[in-house]
Amino acid sequence: MRSITFSSILIVIIFYLSCVKPLYAEDGYEMWLRYHMIENQKLLSEYRTLIASIYPVADSPTMNAVSKELVLGLNGLLGVEVRVDELVREGSVVAGTPANSDVIASLNLESRLIGLGNEGYLIEETEYNGERIFIIAANEDIGVLYGAFGFLRKIQTNQNLDGVSFQSAPRVKYRIVNHWDNLNRRVERGYAGLSLWEWGTLPEYKHPRYTDYARFNASLGINAAAINNVNADPRILTDQFLKKAAVLADIFRPYGIRMFLSINFHSPVRIGGLETADPLDPEVIRFWKEKAEEIYSYIPDFGGFLVKADSEGQPGPHGYGRNHAQGANMLADTLEPHGGIVIWRAFVYDPEQDDRFREAYDEFVPLDGKFKENVILQVKNGPIDFQPREPFSPLFGALPETNTMIELQVTQEYFGFNIHLAYQGTLFKEALEADTYAKGEGSAVANIVDGSIFDYELTGMAGVINPGTDRNWTGHPFVQSSWYAFGRLAWDHTLTAEEIAEEWIRMTFSNNYDVVVPVKEIMMISREAGVNYRNPLGLTHLYAQGHHYGPAPWHHRAPRQDWTSAYYHRATEYGIGFDRTETGSNAVEQYHEPVAAVFRDVEKIPEKFLLWFHHVSWDHPMQSGRTLWEEMVYKYYKGVDQVRWMRKKWDELEGFIDDQRFQHVKALLEIQERDAVRWRDSCVLYFQTFSNMAIPGNYEKPEHDLQYYMELEHIIYVPDHWYGR
Ligand code: BDP
C-alpha cells in the first residue's frame, strides 16, 4: 500500500514536471523567430503526426539556409527530432523549385507558380506516390526560403496545417530597411546600443549576429538593407570600408538581402581629391563611374545608393546650381550598367520657405518625369517628419511619371525612444490606406506605392529601423513589433495592423489567449495613447529641440524657425493651429480633390487633423459638444488614462509570460506613465497661458506649475542625448 502511494505520487510529480513548462527568463534575442515547443498539447501531437521529416533540399547557399531554418524551427516547435531524410514519405516537408527538386518538378506546378514571380511561394499539403506530404514550392531559391519562413510562421501561430493550400507574393519590389548607423557605431535616433556593424573587426570577424539579423529580415521578406546613416560619412566608399561591407553583403546574400549604401554627395571632393562635386562635371562623373565599378567588384549584386541631398546641411546638386533630377540621374547612369538603382530622398526643407509642409512637393512636382527609370524617390509618409500623426504627404499621387516609394520610421524618434510602448502597425496602415484620389476614389497611398495607380517601373517601401547591440536588438521589446509590422506590410500591405499584431504576439510571447488578447489590446491602443498625451487634434512637433523626447511646447528659439515648437502650434490668445488654407500657406492645394476640399473645410476635416490645417479659436465647437480647449484638455487626460490602462493590463500578465520580459516592460510602462503625465501637464499648462481658460474641475490638477516643467526640460536625463556633455 505504501509503495503504491509513493509511486503514484512520483508519477503525478513526473507528469506535472513534463507538462508544466517553466517560464524561464528570456532576453528577447530570438525576437519573432522564437521556436519554442508548442504549448497546446493537442496541437503539438497533431503537428507531430503531420510532420515527419524534411526531404533534402538542393545545395545552394539559399537552399542551405532553407534546410537550416526548417531543422531549427521544426525541432524547436515540435520538440522532437525532425531530420533531413533521403526518402519522401508520409509527412515529409519538401522544399524546392521545379529546377532544383525532382519532387517539386514532378508535381507540374508551373501554371500555379507562374503568377508568383521570383519571390513568391506556395505551401500545400498534397500527395506524392500515394504519400501525404507538404510542399514549399517557388520559382527561385529565395521564394523557397520565404516559403519556409511562412510555413514555420503557420506553426508558430498555431494554424491548422491539415489540407493547407496557401500562396503569397510580395506587392512591391524593394522592401528595404534603412539603418542610420554612423561609422563610429553611434546610431542616429537608434536607442538600442551601438551599431550592429563592428567596423573594427570586419572583414575578418563575422559576428554570428549578422546572420541572425539576415534571418529576421528574410523571415519578413525584406530584401534590401542600406546599412549606414543617410547623413553619410563619405569614407564608407573608401576601399577599407568597401571590403568590410562586402563581407556583410556575402552574409546577407543567401537570405536574399541586397546591400545599399548611403552616400555623401560631396564624396568626389572629400575622398576623391576633386575640387567639385558638380554632377555635370566630367571628372565628377568619372569619379562615380569608377567608384561604381569598384563597388561592384566587391559586391556583385550591390543594390545601389540611398541619397539624402540638399537637406539638413547635407550637400547636394543645389550647391552647384543643379536640380535633384540632375544629381540623381548622374548617379543612376553610373549604376545602370551594373543593375543598380538610386533611391533619392524627398525629405527636403529650406529655412527660407514659409511652410515646411509645402516644400518637398514644391521642389519635386516640377521635376516629375525628369528622373531616370532606375531612380526611385523615397518619400516619408507625412509632409513633416515621422510625427505620431501626420496627414499623408501630398507627393503621393502627385508624381505620375516618377517612381515613388514610402519611407516609414520603425525607430521611435518621436514616440518615446526605447522607453514608450508604441506599436506602429496602426500608424503605417493609416498612412498606407489614406486615399489620395489621384485617379479618383481608390487611389490609396498603398496603391500609389505598389505601382498599380501609375504603373511605376520600380516600387518599394523603406523602414528606418534601429537594431543595435542591445541583447533584444531594439531596446524596447515592443519596437520589435513595429519592425515586424513594417516587414509584413512591405510584403503585403493588405494585411491589417491587428492581424499583424496578433501574429507577432503569438510568435514572440505565447499563443495563449490570456496573453494574446490583452497584449493585442495594449498594442492597438498604444499609438493613439501616444498621440493623445503628446499632440492631439493635429498639434505637432512640440518636442524639446535636438532630442525629440520630452515636451517643450514653449520652445521658440532655434537656429531655424521650423525647428521650434511655436512655429508648428502658432498658439495665440485667440486660438491655435497652423492655417494651411487659402488664408494661410495654402498647402491644402497640394492635395487632389476632394481631399483638399475636406481638409480646407473646418467643418468637414477629421478632427484628428484639425490643427494641421486650421487656426481655430479656443471656443471652437467640437463634435463632442465640447469647445476646442475642453477637447484638447480631454484628449491630454485621456492619453494618460490610456497609459494607466495599459499598465494595469500588463500587470495582469504576470506569470503568463517569462519574468525577464515581463519585468522589463512593466518598468518601462511605469516610466511611460510618468512621462505621459509630464507631457500632459506641460502642454495643458503652457497652452493655458494663451487660452486663459480653466482646466475643467473634474480632472486631477497638475502637480507643479509651468515653470517647473520648463526647467525640467534641461535637468531630466534623456537617453542618447547626454553623450559627451
Ligand atoms: C529627422 C531626424 C534626423 C534625420 C532626418 C532624416 O531627426 O536625425 O537625419 O530626419 O530623415 O527625423 O534625414
Side-chain angles (χ1 to χ4, degrees), residues 436-453:
T436 69
Y437 283 82
K439 280 204 180 163
E441 197 176 352
S443 310
V445 169
N447 303 117
I448 303 286
V449 166
D450 74 13
S452 53
I453 301 294

Side-chain angles (χ1 to χ4, degrees), residues 180 188-189 230-231 308 312 345 347 380 385-386 407 413-414 548:
W180 286 356
E188 181 153 338
R189 319 295 185 189
V230 286
N231 300 315
K308 172 175 178 177
E312 297 184 329
R345 295 177 84 232
F347 178 66
K380 289 186 182 182
D385 188 14
F386 298 139
E407 178 177 320
E413 173 180 357
Y414 293 99
H548 299 164

Side-chain angles (χ1 to χ4, degrees), residues 515-622:
V515 175
V516 174
V517 174
V519 177
K520 194 164 72 179
E521 284 172 357
I522 292 172
M523 287 169 74
M524 291 304 288
I525 202 184
S526 60
R527 183 268 183 135
E528 206 59 42
V531 171
N532 284 337
Y533 64 72
R534 282 191 190 84
N535 41 16
L537 302 174
L539 285 170
T540 204
H541 224 307
L542 307 179
Y543 297 88
Q545 214 233 315
H547 60 67
H548 299 164
Y549 183 80
W554 45 78
H555 185 52
H556 68 280
R557 240 180 281 133
R560 300 168 52 148
Q561 265 307 300
D562 52 7
W563 286 351
T564 68
S565 305
Y567 173 88
Y568 294 98
H569 63 66
R570 311 213 158 189
T572 61
E573 282 185 8
Y574 163 80
I576 186 165
F578 199 130
D579 182 2
R580 293 192 164 100
T581 68
E582 289 90 337
T583 48
S585 75
N586 204 16
V588 283
E589 70 175 350
Q590 298 181 334
Y591 290 102
H592 291 277
E593 292 299 350
V595 182
V598 170
F599 284 174
R600 192 180 289 125
D601 187 339
V602 74
E603 301 300 327
K604 294 207 182 111
I605 187 164
E607 287 183 349
K608 61 185 179 187
F609 295 131
L610 179 65
L611 305 178
W612 269 99
F613 294 98
H614 296 272
H615 187 81
V616 291
S617 69
W618 292 108
D619 54 13
H620 176 79
M622 303 294 284

Side-chain angles (χ1 to χ4, degrees), residues 112-397:
R112 306 196 37 212
L113 290 177
I114 205 150
L116 297 176
N118 291 344
E119 296 175 305
Y121 61 85
L122 172 72
I123 294 174
E124 198 157 80
E125 193 183 40
T126 187
E127 280 212 356
Y128 176 78
N129 285 346
E131 309 283 9
R132 187 193 45 75
I133 62 167
F134 290 105
I135 54 162
I136 301 171
N139 292 311
E140 302 286 339
D141 292 4
I142 188 62
V144 184
L145 182 64
Y146 294 149
F149 281 115
F151 185 70
L152 292 169
R153 184 186 306 127
K154 288 198 180 298
I155 303 175
Q156 272 182 289
T157 55
N158 286 193
Q159 291 178 48
N160 187 9
L161 285 185
D162 212 359
V164 67
S165 175
F166 177 79
Q167 60 186 53
S168 187
R171 288 174 192 267
V172 301
K173 188 168 156 75
Y174 288 93
R175 304 176 298 279
I176 182 169
V177 284
N178 290 183
H179 293 259
W180 286 356
D181 292 18
N182 294 320
L183 300 187
N184 65 6
R185 299 193 64 206
R186 261 200 74 186
V187 181
E188 181 153 338
R189 319 295 185 189
Y191 331 110
L194 294 177
S195 166
L196 295 176
W197 327 126
E198 277 193 10
W199 296 115
T201 60
L202 281 164
E204 287 81 3
Y205 179 51
K206 302 172 179 66
H207 199 297
R209 188 169 60 214
Y210 304 150
T211 308
D212 283 331
Y213 161 84
R215 290 174 52 235
F216 292 124
N217 277 333
S219 73
L220 305 174
I222 286 167
N223 65 359
I227 61 165
N228 62 317
N229 193 353
V230 286
N231 300 315
D233 188 321
R235 288 169 296 183
I236 189 70
L237 292 183
T238 56
D239 185 50
Q240 182 185 178
F241 277 97
L242 290 177
K243 283 188 181 132
K244 296 170 191 289
V247 168
L248 293 176
D250 290 343
I251 296 170
F252 300 166
R253 189 167 299 111
Y255 292 90
I257 297 163
R258 285 177 84 180
M259 177 173 292
F260 280 70
L261 294 175
S262 297
I263 58 120
N264 183 301
F265 204 77
H266 258 171
S267 301
V269 178
R270 302 275 299 277
I271 59 165
L274 300 184
E275 275 175 7
T276 176
D278 179 351
L280 301 193
D281 182 283
E283 286 299 303
V284 171
I285 296 172
R286 196 156 70 114
F287 166 87
W288 285 111
K289 201 167 158 287
E290 286 173 7
K291 199 38 93 183
E293 279 157 14
E294 189 188 346
I295 297 172
Y296 281 92
S297 73
Y298 288 116
I299 309 172
D301 58 350
F302 180 65
F305 296 143
L306 172 61
V307 194
K308 172 175 178 177
D310 291 315
S311 163
E312 297 184 329
Q314 292 301 311
H318 284 180
Y320 303 95
R322 315 295 182 195
N323 64 34
H324 286 284
Q326 287 170 311
N329 291 344
M330 179 276 293
L331 293 171
D333 274 335
T334 68
L335 297 173
E336 193 175 20
H338 309 279
I341 67 165
V342 170
I343 302 181
W344 192 268
R345 295 177 84 232
F347 178 66
V348 297
Y349 58 106
D350 174 348
E352 303 310 317
Q353 281 235 14
D354 291 345
D355 183 2
R356 176 173 169 183
F357 187 116
R358 294 194 58 111
E359 298 181 32
Y361 181 104
D362 288 345
E363 182 94 38
F364 283 96
V365 169
L367 297 176
D368 187 32
K370 303 258 170 14
F371 290 90
K372 281 180 62 86
E373 280 191 348
N374 64 331
V375 176
I376 315 188
L377 211 59
Q378 181 166 300
V379 180
K380 289 186 182 182
N381 59 286
I384 301 291
D385 188 14
F386 298 139
Q387 297 300 295
R389 169 162 283 127
E390 295 197 37
F392 67 92
S393 163
L395 274 173
F396 297 110

